[in-house]
Amino acid sequence: MMQKNPDWWRGAVIYQVYPRSFFDSNGDGIGDLPGVTAKLDYIASLNVDAIWLSPFFTSPMKDFGYDVSDYRGVDPIFGTLEDFDVLIAEAHKRDLKIMIDQVLSHTSEEHEWFKESRVSRDNPRADWYVWADAQADGTPPNNWLSVFGGSAWAWDSRRRQYYLHNFLTSQPDLNFHNPELQDQILDEVRFWLDRGVDGFRLDAINFCFHDPKLRNNPPSQSVQEASIGVRKENPYAYQYHKYDKTQPENLAFLKRLRALLDEYPGTTTVGEIGDDNSLQTMADYTSNGDKLHMAYSFDLLTEQRGADFIKHTVEGIESKLEDGWPCWAIGNHDVARVASRWKAEGPEQIKLFMIMMLSLRGSACIYQGEELGMTEAELAFEDLVDPYGISFWPEYKGRDGCRTPMVWDAMAHNAGFSEAKPWLPVYEEHLNAAVSEQENERHSVLQAYREFLGWRRQQPALLTGSIRFMESPEDTLLFRRETDGQRLLVALNFSDQKVSLSLPQPATALSDTPASLTADWRGSAVTLPPYSAGIAKG
């Protein structure tokens, strides 16, 4: 059983729940923790190992929970601490782990720490945030930019200083150069460990430290859409972020964090890395077994796709990680839905994306609704609530399109999400993808996820084995996953044509493979229908 394996996270599949949009249990139009508890049987039926809960902490919700005003409180819109305790207990009964988001690099401006810090320059928490004097002409201390647009510095009239905010002005950055602040943050993490959580997804974990000399960032040599905030309509993309994040001091803090987790055997961490050099940062943050357990980057969360891109990305991280462990994601609450972003033309492509991600070496995160093949929702400007999208409309529509409510029942009011008007509208085009429509359809995307995930659990090579790519034609991937006692060959066809591949040696078809694996294995060759996959002994 998973509980008895402290390394359960290696090869685990983590289901991301965005609580606001999952299931509303009390009829106020917003999903909540009791709503997650009510749907635990559904999540368990997917054959995933853990649930990652996006923030449910006390917050003014200017960034929908990523602006925390109390690290130990449950915001009333989501329920109570007792509701959280029930959720953990019920999840554990179903052999599901619970991981929670931790937003450590910044707080809300409404956090008591910041309220105290901004009062004066000599109060007990005066140095808990990043404060700096204006330049002689009154302009900000340097050229650092916010992910959400504009300067990363906001003027505070009380202290007559600027404070740093890498995200919204209402999200001041904590000063991790202060040892007392570090101690306090670790105490906040311990609070949840003592409550029984099994791990943490660490938001923007490479943003904790800044350059104490406040040196200007140099210009970017090229604008590449492959890390957090890097979109060509956003000026953030035009800097090389050398000094405002990913500082070497962060490694020592991550060691302190890992030492705390090690006091609670079987717990884990997965860090979100948004960086100009994300693969190297992932390697640095997961090496030697003394920092993060896992990390994921935005490399597969862009519009780039295709066999060559995936191979290049995976080989790039494999060449750097050494003893580190990756966690793959092709969708989350911050990017357009993968079915739309990667331009899937039908369910077979969506299944192919799933098989690809779940066959790579590492763990994986599945964002709620991916198992239904949900597409990006198109919303009117007046429906938007995401400050990021409102700022950059219409070139960038923000993150609301991937955050619309889960569709449970196509025939029910608001697709079974809520009796009240939802905080974001239910997207009508999602109704055909509702759970009720796919539950009993043998070849639906939902059933393909369930069946493949259940089968994957019985394949040691897919859980923890090594990976090695082999030569294959354009628009295809061929790689081997191998561990003691099992060697598997994975073949993927991303084209709209049938393809036959010559194999380096004969492969043997497996019995009882999922219906989504439609390849035809014949000795030293495999034939793949359009948008299909196969896995065999070899």
Side-chain angles (χ1 to χ4, degrees):
M1 296 289 285
M2 201 165 47
Q3 305 96 305
K4 298 177 182 177
N5 176 15
D7 289 335
W8 63 268
W9 49 272
R10 289 188 184 272
V13 177
I14 303 162
Y15 185 76
Q16 182 193 353
V17 169
Y18 193 72
R20 292 183 73 92
S21 298
F22 199 60
F23 182 63
D24 171 21
S25 72
N26 63 355
D28 63 358
I30 299 173
D32 44 47
L33 294 181
V36 181
T37 303
K39 295 295 186 180
L40 284 175
D41 286 340
Y42 168 80
I43 298 174
S45 79
L46 298 175
N47 295 310
V48 298
D49 303 299
I51 299 170
W52 146 27
L53 293 169
S54 289
F56 51 84
F57 312 107
T58 312
S59 166
M61 298 294 163
K62 292 182 179 178
D63 192 22
F64 298 98
Y66 285 89
D67 49 330
V68 176
S69 58
D70 179 1
Y71 280 109
R72 304 188 187 197
V74 173
D75 196 276
I77 67 171
F78 294 126
T80 64
L81 268 176
E82 289 71 27
D83 291 329
F84 179 78
D85 292 339
V86 170
L87 172 56
I88 284 211
E90 291 299 317
H92 286 171
K93 286 179 185 176
R94 293 161 175 81
D95 209 15
L96 287 167
K97 304 287 190 181
I98 292 290
M99 302 176 66
I100 64 173
D101 241 310
Q102 288 284 276
V103 189
L104 304 184
S105 72
H106 57 266
T107 70
S108 163
E109 64 184 349
E110 295 186 17
H111 199 294
E112 291 301 323
W113 302 345
F114 187 68
K115 289 179 180 178
E116 183 175 353
S117 185
R118 75 190 317 180
V119 168
S120 68
R121 300 189 186 191
D122 57 3
N123 67 79
R125 293 193 173 98
D127 193 38
W128 279 33
Y129 291 81
V130 183
W131 296 95
D133 292 329
Q135 297 192 65
D137 61 357
T139 54
N142 58 28
N143 71 346
W144 296 354
L145 295 173
S146 162
V147 170
F148 289 160
S151 173
W153 296 94
W155 179 254
D156 185 82
S157 58
R158 277 149 285 198
R159 284 184 54 145
R160 296 193 297 278
Q161 284 183 304
Y162 284 95
Y163 66 85
L164 179 67
H165 62 91
N166 274 298
F167 298 93
L168 295 174
T169 55
S170 57
Q171 293 171 298
D173 272 56
L174 290 162
N175 178 21
F176 275 75
H177 291 287
N178 183 324
E180 187 181 26
L181 180 276
Q182 284 192 38
D183 291 344
Q184 184 64 53
I185 285 292
L186 292 175
D187 278 348
E188 306 303 313
V189 174
R190 186 184 291 277
F191 173 83
W192 293 103
L193 289 167
D194 287 340
R195 271 202 126 72
V197 302
D198 302 292
F200 303 95
R201 181 266 190 182
L202 301 166
D203 183 71
I205 191 59
N206 56 313
F207 281 78
C208 290
F209 283 83
H210 65 287
D211 172 41
K213 296 180 181 179
L214 302 182
R215 286 171 282 193
N216 283 330
N217 281 330
S220 177
Q221 296 302 306
S222 62
V223 178
Q224 296 178 342
E225 298 193 48
S227 67
I228 188 169
V230 176
R231 299 183 57 86
K232 292 183 180 180
E233 66 273 7
N234 186 344
Y236 191 81
Y238 292 80
Q239 288 185 358
Y240 175 61
H241 294 273
K242 184 175 182 179
Y243 295 116
D244 53 352
K245 60 184 179 182
T246 322
Q247 299 302 292
E249 295 92 335
N250 206 24
L251 295 173
F253 171 72
L254 293 180
K255 289 181 180 179
R256 293 193 67 193
L257 180 63
R258 178 60 175 264
L260 171 60
L261 269 288
D262 286 347
E263 294 179 29
Y264 298 79
T267 57
T268 193
T269 52
V270 55
E272 175 200 48
I273 308 294
D275 192 48
D276 297 306
N277 191 3
S278 57
L279 299 185
Q280 183 61 54
T281 305
M282 284 176 67
D284 294 341
Y285 283 18
T286 60
S287 63
N288 301 325
D290 62 353
K291 295 176 284 292
L292 299 180
H293 298 77
M294 304 175 275
Y296 79 85
S297 73
F298 284 69
D299 290 83
L300 296 186
L301 294 172
T302 65
E303 293 180 3
Q304 293 174 280
R305 61 185 182 117
D308 287 346
F309 172 70
I310 291 164
K311 181 179 179 182
H312 174 78
T313 301
V314 175
E315 287 189 327
I317 194 169
E318 286 294 325
S319 68
K320 295 179 182 297
L321 268 188
E322 297 178 1
D323 63 342
W325 191 257
C327 186
W328 298 103
I330 58 175
N332 69 13
H333 62 292
D334 280 334
V335 297
R337 291 250 177 215
V338 66
S340 299
R341 199 176 71 249
W342 283 4
K343 298 178 172 61
E345 296 174 5
E348 297 314 308
Q349 278 179 283
I350 295 171
K351 294 175 190 177
L352 176 62
F353 300 156
M354 176 264 294
I355 294 166
M356 178 278 298
M357 179 179 72
L358 295 172
S359 298
L360 299 176
R361 186 182 84 95
S363 304
C365 292
I366 295 171
Y367 179 47
Q368 66 182 46
E370 280 177 30
E371 78 280 9
L372 304 178
M374 286 173 68
T375 54
E376 181 75 355
E378 294 297 327
L379 302 177
F381 179 75
E382 53 268 26
D383 288 325
L384 297 187
V385 295
D386 180 15
Y388 200 178
I390 292 169
S391 294
F392 286 98
W393 179 276
E395 285 75 19
Y396 175 52
K397 299 176 182 179
R399 301 165 295 180
D400 292 327
C402 67
R403 297 177 175 182
T404 56
M406 274 284 283
V407 280
W408 297 101
D409 186 343
M411 305 304 292
H413 184 55
N414 292 322
F417 166 71
S418 175
E419 290 299 316
K421 180 183 177 181
W423 74 286
L424 281 175
V426 173
Y427 189 43
E428 191 169 336
E429 292 186 26
H430 286 163
L431 294 180
N432 288 337
V435 175
S436 64
E437 300 298 290
Q438 299 194 45
E439 195 79 65
N440 299 312
E441 186 187 330
R442 174 74 179 88
H443 296 289
S444 68
V445 172
L446 173 59
Q447 297 295 27
Y449 264 84
R450 283 175 170 160
E451 188 179 17
F452 188 86
L453 284 164
W455 178 79
R456 179 182 178 273
R457 281 180 162 173
Q458 310 306 317
Q459 313 306 319
L462 293 183
L463 296 177
T464 60
S466 61
I467 187 170
R468 183 169 66 86
F469 284 89
M470 301 169 194
E471 290 300 317
S472 66
E474 186 179 6
D475 292 330
T476 68
L477 287 177
L478 185 65
F479 56 88
R480 177 170 285 137
R481 299 294 312 280
E482 186 172 2
T483 190
D484 291 342
Q486 189 179 42
R487 189 165 76 167
L488 298 177
L489 202 59
V490 180
L492 306 168
N493 178 16
F494 291 85
S495 77
D496 60 1
Q497 303 293 316
K498 183 169 71 172
V499 175
S500 292
L501 306 183
S502 296
L503 306 176
Q505 61 192 66
T508 306
L510 294 158
S511 60
D512 300 322
T513 54
S516 54
L517 297 176
T518 56
D520 182 18
W521 299 90
R522 299 286 177 91
S524 295
V526 59
T527 301
L528 294 155
Y531 308 129
S532 71
I535 301 177
K537 293 179 183 177

